[in-house]
Amino acid sequence: MSTIDIITEKLNKKILVTEDDIKVHTPMSANKSLSSLVNHIVVSQDLHIKKILGITLFNQLMAEWIANNMVQSALPDGTNTGTPPQVLNDTTNYKELHEQIFSPLVWWSYVLSLSSIAFQIGEAGILSRSTDNAESGGIEGLKKLVADGEAIARAYTKELVDYIELTFKDDNSVQSESKEVGAPSMGVFVPKKPWHGNKSNY
């Protein structure tokens, strides 16, 4: 597979935020090469966002995202006046849900990308990437960046967990397994609705 084929394959992945979103909302350099952040977004979606939403709700959000051409403003908002949902009678506000997952996903993707920006794996092993314009901060500089980024990502993640619990907890809800999100473990509540399904296993 050629380099162009690999880049094309990466750019065809379905992601809930863009590489530009990371560059705009974090300290990431604006000239970071195209497709270099896609894998980090995909992994962050799976390890953080899907874990909190649950598999069924995550997949439904992704289905709405793709169906509406990955435009946040076009997502169904749970009313009769907006975009109709893919599942009949689904009153989930996917527009608001996407707003809530946006910041944690952006910041976890940024954090995950830092080590691959600072280091590369070559034939000689793990090598520090050199730069023409600044001296490398080394391992300690990388640790500081990761720690700062994780603190922000965890704060946004806590807000997402609180939103999910407040929005989807009802009399018919079930509590999923406790999940570690950067502070104490907490339960995430997902309603028993036909389009969301039951308790997810992780």
Side-chain angles (χ1 to χ4, degrees):
M1 186 177 283
S2 70
T3 301
I4 296 297
D5 290 336
I6 291 173
I7 291 175
T8 301
E9 189 80 13
K10 285 187 177 184
L11 292 177
N12 285 334
K13 289 183 179 291
K14 304 307 180 186
I15 51 179
L16 291 162
V17 297
T18 67
E19 292 180 290
D20 284 345
D21 289 331
I22 297 174
K23 295 174 186 178
V24 168
H25 295 278
T26 74
M28 181 67 63
S29 171
N31 60 9
K32 190 76 178 75
S33 58
L34 184 68
S35 84
S36 60
L37 301 175
V38 172
N39 287 349
H40 303 302
I41 298 172
V42 172
V43 172
S44 296
Q45 286 179 175
D46 288 343
L47 296 185
H48 296 284
I49 305 306
K50 184 187 292 185
K51 183 177 181 181
I52 294 170
L53 270 56
I55 295 172
T56 307
L57 182 56
F58 176 86
N59 287 344
Q60 192 59 44
L61 172 61
M62 183 63 77
E64 297 289 356
W65 182 244
I66 294 169
N68 289 282
N69 300 311
M70 294 181 284
V71 176
Q72 192 269 343
S73 61
L75 289 171
D77 61 5
T79 69
N80 293 327
T81 59
T83 304
Q86 298 296 299
V87 178
L88 187 65
N89 297 323
D90 184 353
T91 57
T92 305
N93 189 338
Y94 290 103
K95 186 181 296 185
E96 183 176 76
L97 180 59
H98 186 272
E99 289 174 357
Q100 295 295 322
I101 65 98
F102 180 87
S103 291
L105 180 53
V106 162
W107 278 92
W108 281 121
S109 301
Y110 163 74
V111 168
L112 193 61
S113 71
L114 289 174
S115 59
S116 65
I117 292 171
F119 300 97
Q120 62 181 334
I121 300 175
E123 292 183 7
I126 300 175
L127 306 172
S128 176
R129 293 185 184 272
S130 60
T131 173
D132 296 330
N133 301 318
E135 256 187 63
S136 170
I139 293 293
E140 291 307 312
L142 175 61
K143 286 180 179 178
K144 178 68 166 59
L145 281 176
V146 170
D148 291 347
E150 280 189 350
I152 295 171
R154 290 182 191 281
Y156 281 126
T157 301
K158 175 62 166 59
E159 291 182 0
L160 174 59
V161 169
D162 290 345
Y163 167 80
I164 293 294
E165 180 174 344
L166 179 65
T167 305
F168 295 106
K169 180 180 178 181
D170 58 28
D171 293 337
N172 295 319
S173 66
V174 291
Q175 187 173 13
S176 70
E177 293 177 11
S178 188
K179 299 172 179 60
E180 186 68 35
V181 294
S185 293
M186 60 193 72
V188 177
F189 292 86
V190 180
K192 285 184 177 178
K193 294 183 179 179
W195 51 89
H196 291 158
N198 295 323
K199 175 178 170 182
S200 299
N201 294 318
Y202 298 98

